[in-house]
């Protein structure tokens, strides 16, 4: 099954921001486009707005005047649904209410031809449920664009329970012909991106609720150590706290209140207080010309130790050894247990160990856990979590060591798994669980997370680098700390860990 031919008209029903964006994508790709909105006058206003955006593309040299004129001639506001009768594809971008969408498609089914592809851009409703009102649900798919649709490349092509393979393939090939990067997925709450991304927000909120660190520090560590483009607090302020919380709640309820998807009370209170983020002028942060900038906690300068002793292997943090030597600090070789995570012994006796999911205060030794980094060489910040047995000298030595490597240091409270590490472990677990349940294949999951939410690395690939065995082991330790089921490794992660152990 090939993509929709360019001579075939594409209709977009609903002319808000997303509807206009989808219409622009189809228009620039070369299709005739019909715009329809139930509110009189909105389709015509949307056509004018799209024309203005095309004019800006001409000004920027991204569209020729001739192509602009041809596109404008192909764009038509429709005053009645009946005017969509000859369209080859109808994409809906109306109110996120199941009854509204079902009624719309029931009406469209009586208007369009039998070979017309019907698609919903829903981000939170079940594609299967929307199609449930149709006589012929086989031609119904989800085409989930990301906002702004003309700029963001990802499109999730969602197959409902009754979607025929030919329809899904045609939708996929059409999105690709439009210059997008489509990924296939089954109809599941949140699809790929909104399902797999939940821990990125949830773990930050949990750490905040436990008073481990403030929002600015958590954001800074995830950006400057984890390599994420934005931290979860600033990102949810940009998205809108009400929007993000509603998606979280919807996914949680759709999974029958599975503890892995539990919403955060802190975010609910923010929404109740109408601190919705940038759009309201206040969310986790204050906005406006005179608003003070929230700064992360950064430790004061400290002297670096002249030497440290390495015991065993640091595995994902092995690059630190070379960095320490490059900084002119002697690395002495101590004893270590093969295949067991090692540690760095500081001159005062404190141990530096990579976050492993255990609580620092459960260990007999004076232990300072340091966080996982995407790349220890390029990371500009590191988080440290000292146990109560660590004295001031030991903490200063740890801070000075990482400062000598060119890192800013954020000392945070008692936090099993810390910030980056437990966020990444959970993302890996959620990604493998989605693959294991047939939501999407591993390549599409990683593509969706890199393009849809700009993750620095796909979570499946991150899991390969860390190894499923160690991710599962660390989550088991977290599960012991929080025995609610939230951190229990998924069966898919457990199976992958077993395969790695015996391969």
């Amino acid at each position: 099954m090939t993509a929709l031919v360019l001579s075939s008209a594409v209709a977009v029903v609903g002319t808000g921001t997303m509807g206009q964006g989808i219409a622009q994508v189809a228009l620039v790709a070369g299709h005739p486009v019909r715009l329809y909105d139930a509110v009189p006058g909105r389709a015509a206003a949307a056509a004018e707005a799209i024309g203005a955006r095309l004019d800006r593309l001409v000004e920027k040299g991204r569209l020729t005047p001739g192509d602009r004129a041809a596109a404008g001639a192909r764009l038509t506001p429709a005053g009645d649904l009946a005017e969509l009768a000859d369209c080859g594809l109808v994409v809906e971008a109306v109110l996120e209410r199941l009854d509204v969408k079902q009624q719309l498609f029931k009406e469209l089914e009586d208007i369009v031809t039998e070979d017309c592809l019907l698609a919903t851009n829903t981000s939170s409703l079940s594609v299967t449920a929307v199609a449930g009102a149709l006589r012929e649900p086989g031609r119904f798919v989800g085409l989930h664009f990301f906002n702004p649709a003309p700029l963001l490349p990802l499109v999730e092509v969602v197959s409902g329970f009754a979607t025929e393979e030919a329809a899904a393939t045609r939708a996929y090939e059409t999105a690709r012909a439009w210059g997008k990067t489509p990924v296939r997925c089954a109809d599941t709450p949140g699809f790929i991106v909104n399902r797999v991304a939940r821990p990125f927000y949830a773990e930050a909120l949990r750490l905040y609720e436990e008073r481990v660190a403030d929002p600015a520090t958590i954001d800074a560590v995830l950006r400057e150590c984890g390599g994420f483009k934005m931290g979860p607090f600033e990102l949810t302020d940009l998205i809108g706290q009400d929007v993000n919380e509603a998606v979280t709640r919807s996914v949680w309820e759709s999974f029958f209140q599975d503890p892995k998807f539990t919403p955060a009370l802190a975010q609910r209170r923010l929404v109740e207080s109408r601190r919705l983020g940038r759009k309201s002028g206040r969310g986790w942060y204050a906005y406006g010309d005179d608003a003070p900038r929230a700064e992360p906690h950064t430790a004061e300068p400290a002297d670096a130790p002249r030497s440290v002793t390495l015991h065993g292997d640091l595995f994902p943090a092995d690059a630190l050894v070379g960095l320490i030597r490059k900084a002119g600090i002697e690395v002495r070789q101590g004893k270590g247990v093969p295949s067991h995570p090692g540690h760095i012994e500081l001159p005062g006796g404190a141990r530096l160990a990579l976050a492993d999911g255990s609580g620092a205060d459960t260990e007999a030794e004076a232990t300072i856990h340091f966080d996982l980094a995407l790349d220890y060489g390029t990371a500009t910040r590191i988080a440290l979590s000292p146990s109560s047995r660590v004295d001031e000298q030991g903490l200063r030595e740890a801070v000075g060591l990482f400062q000598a490597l060119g890192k800013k240091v954020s000392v945070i409270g008692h936090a099993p798994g810390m910030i980056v590490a437990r966020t990444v472990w959970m993302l890996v677990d959620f990604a493998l669980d989605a693959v294991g349940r047939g939501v999407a294949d591993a390549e599409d999951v990683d593509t969706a997370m890199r393009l849809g939410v700009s993750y620095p690395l796909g979570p499946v690939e991150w899991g390969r680098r860390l190894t499923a065995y160690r991710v599962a082991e660390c989550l088991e330790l977290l599960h012991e700390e929080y025995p609610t089921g939230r951190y229990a490794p998924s069966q898919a992660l457990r199976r992958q860990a077993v395969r790695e152990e015996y391969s």
Side-chain angles (χ1 to χ4, degrees), residues 59-243:
E59 293 170 3
K60 295 177 181 179
R62 298 176 185 173
L63 194 67
T64 68
D67 288 341
R68 160 65 181 92
R74 294 194 303 270
L75 182 61
T76 308
D80 191 277
L81 279 178
E83 296 177 42
L84 312 184
D86 63 339
C87 291
L89 167 64
V90 179
V91 184
E92 163 274 316
V94 302
L95 190 66
E96 283 287 270
R97 275 180 45 186
L98 180 61
D99 59 336
V100 173
K101 294 180 188 291
Q102 286 181 328
Q103 181 59 37
L104 169 64
F105 283 110
K106 284 171 66 177
E107 293 178 26
L108 285 169
E109 195 172 33
D110 292 332
I111 294 170
V112 299
T113 60
E114 291 183 357
D115 61 348
C116 177
L117 191 65
L118 299 177
T120 175
N121 183 59
T122 185
S123 61
S124 61
L125 299 177
S126 164
V127 170
T128 301
V130 178
L134 300 181
R135 296 188 304 274
E136 299 293 337
R139 59 170 165 173
F140 190 85
V141 299
L143 275 178
H144 182 216
F145 288 77
F146 287 73
N147 193 29
L151 297 180
L152 296 186
L154 183 68
V155 177
E156 293 177 316
V157 180
V158 187
S159 291
F161 188 79
T163 301
E164 295 174 357
E165 177 62 24
T169 299
R170 192 176 192 188
Y172 179 93
E173 294 298 337
T174 298
R176 188 162 67 171
W178 291 356
K180 296 301 181 182
T181 303
V183 292
R184 291 176 178 264
C185 66
D187 186 21
T188 185
F191 309 141
I192 299 174
V193 172
N194 281 329
R195 172 179 174 149
V196 176
R198 291 348 294 163
F200 182 69
Y201 312 109
E203 294 313 309
L205 288 163
R206 171 66 68 90
L207 289 163
Y208 168 78
E209 289 180 334
E210 294 178 356
R211 296 297 185 262
V212 169
D214 60 276
T217 299
I218 294 171
D219 277 353
V221 171
L222 282 161
R223 282 196 319 269
E224 300 168 32
C225 182
F228 292 92
K229 187 175 181 180
M230 295 181 74
F233 294 99
E234 59 187 338
L235 180 55
T236 52
D237 266 0
L238 177 64
I239 295 168
Q241 296 302 330
D242 52 339
V243 175

Side-chain angles (χ1 to χ4, degrees), residues 403-477:
Q403 288 175 341
L405 307 186
K407 319 297 181 191
K408 296 178 181 178
V409 178
S410 292
V411 179
I412 64 174
H414 171 62
M418 302 194 66
I419 299 173
V420 179
R422 82 193 226 182
T423 299
V424 170
W425 299 333
M426 290 293 281
L427 289 172
V428 170
D429 186 58
F430 273 47
L432 290 181
D433 181 60
V435 173
R437 293 177 184 271
V439 173
D441 64 30
E443 183 178 356
D444 276 355
V445 168
D446 276 1
T447 297
M449 302 314 292
R450 285 187 292 100
L451 298 183
V453 278
S454 299
Y455 285 2
L457 200 64
V460 177
E461 175 59 25
W462 220 328
R464 291 193 191 102
R465 293 190 183 187
L466 297 175
T467 76
Y469 177 81
R470 297 200 184 280
V471 173
E473 186 177 50
C474 292
L475 284 178
E476 287 284 11
L477 290 171

Side-chain angles (χ1 to χ4, degrees), residues 209-276:
E209 289 180 334
E210 294 178 356
R211 296 297 185 262
V212 169
D214 60 276
T217 299
I218 294 171
D219 277 353
V221 171
L222 282 161
R223 282 196 319 269
E224 300 168 32
C225 182
F228 292 92
K229 187 175 181 180
M230 295 181 74
F233 294 99
E234 59 187 338
L235 180 55
T236 52
D237 266 0
L238 177 64
I239 295 168
Q241 296 302 330
D242 52 339
V243 175
N244 183 260
E245 201 264 351
V247 172
T248 298
R249 185 169 295 276
S250 173
V251 172
W252 174 63
E253 290 173 348
S254 297
F255 277 112
F256 308 104
Q257 301 184 355
D258 186 326
K260 285 182 176 286
F261 297 93
T262 302
L265 182 59
Q267 189 175 34
R268 175 98 292 257
R269 292 290 180 259
L270 207 65
V271 173
E272 289 173 340
S273 66
R274 305 305 296 167
R275 294 186 174 186
L276 305 181

